[in-house]
Amino acid sequence: MGINIRAALFSIIYKKCLRLSSESKQGHTCGENINLMSVDVERIGLFSWYFHNIWAVPVQVVLTLLILYKSLGLASLIAFISIIILMLTNIPLGKLQEKFQEKLMDSKDRRMKVTSEALRNMRILKLQGWEMKFLDKIFEHRNFETRWLKKLLYSLSMFSFIYLSAPMFVSMVTFGFCMLMRIPLDSGKILAAFATFEIL
């Protein structure tokens, strides 16, 4: 399904680009069109992979909480609350990531515009001796793009750290609560809890 959607969108965007008037091309640069085809179409194609999470994730959460409640009792509610806290800490990070992604795409558009402009007008650049000026301009746009890319990757690494440390954090909180409430823990319960924390 994803491949079909991607192929259809590629052809629609390509046909639309061929029909654009000169006036429309001033508003929509070549860089924007390339980004549409390379990034946005790819993301829409990946949607079919994640579409079933709409119903699968709530079912998984309910089942894992039932399994946890069966083995740990009231401590499963603490696990659920700590997971919700972790999810809430991801909201500002997600908004920051969205902002960085937007700025990165904007800087990519500008760089692609300058690059395609230089390639289209290569004869004029060679005649006037402006190659180095345009090269400096492209490098300037590339450095600006790299700065946003760095910020995006740093926020992604923070996001990944929280995501990967979540099972450990949840297990520490849950087992700490079990010790406080004197809930008996044996190796079978602990291993089952670890597996369900990973699923959660």
Side-chain angles (χ1 to χ4, degrees):
M1 187 173 125
I3 291 167
N4 288 338
I5 289 170
R6 251 181 302 191
L9 284 172
F10 272 133
S11 65
I12 289 167
I13 292 168
Y14 186 70
K15 283 175 187 171
K16 182 67 177 175
C17 286
L18 291 175
R19 286 198 315 262
L20 281 176
S21 64
S22 298
E23 190 180 334
S24 297
K25 284 180 184 173
Q26 299 302 318
H28 289 282
T29 62
C30 188
E32 284 177 353
N33 295 334
I34 290 167
N35 272 344
L36 272 176
M37 293 179 96
S38 64
V39 179
D40 297 340
V41 169
E42 193 69 33
R43 294 274 164 85
I44 292 168
L46 285 173
F47 173 73
S48 60
W49 283 98
Y50 302 109
F51 175 72
H52 294 288
N53 285 352
I54 294 168
W55 64 268
V57 169
V59 170
Q60 280 182 329
V61 169
V62 168
L63 289 175
T64 49
L65 284 174
L66 284 172
I67 292 166
L68 273 176
Y69 186 76
K70 205 172 180 184
S71 60
L72 298 177
L74 202 63
S76 62
L77 290 174
I78 299 299
F80 185 64
I81 290 167
S82 58
I83 285 169
I84 287 173
I85 290 167
L86 278 170
M87 286 170 71
L88 291 174
T89 57
N90 279 336
I91 290 171
L93 267 176
K95 288 193 184 296
L96 196 67
Q97 242 179 324
E98 187 181 342
K99 179 191 164 192
F100 291 158
Q101 183 75 35
E102 199 175 297
K103 296 283 187 184
L104 177 67
M105 296 311 290
D106 187 46
S107 61
K108 267 187 183 179
D109 285 344
R110 277 189 261 154
R111 180 179 58 85
M112 289 299 292
K113 182 182 177 185
V114 172
T115 307
S116 60
E117 192 180 321
L119 290 171
R120 266 197 319 265
N121 302 311
M122 189 55 75
R123 269 194 196 149
I124 297 165
L125 291 178
K126 289 275 187 191
L127 283 171
Q128 300 293 336
W130 291 341
E131 303 103 319
M132 296 314 290
K133 279 186 181 179
F134 262 81
L135 188 65
D136 289 341
K137 207 173 183 183
I138 290 168
F139 277 137
E140 185 184 315
H141 283 290
R142 182 67 185 132
N143 290 336
F144 186 69
E145 184 184 339
T146 307
R147 265 181 267 148
W148 285 113
L149 185 63
K150 272 184 189 174
K151 287 179 181 179
L152 179 68
L153 289 175
Y154 285 139
S155 68
L156 272 170
S157 63
M158 285 167 56
F159 194 80
S160 298
F161 174 75
I162 291 172
Y163 178 75
L164 293 171
S165 62
M168 185 182 68
F169 172 75
V170 172
S171 59
M172 283 169 53
V173 169
T174 307
F175 294 140
F177 181 78
C178 286
M179 290 173 77
L180 282 172
M181 297 301 291
R182 306 254 191 257
I183 297 170
L185 291 171
D186 54 41
S187 59
K189 282 183 180 178
I190 291 170
L191 289 172
F194 274 132
T196 48
F197 289 148
E198 203 66 45
I199 293 167
L200 266 177

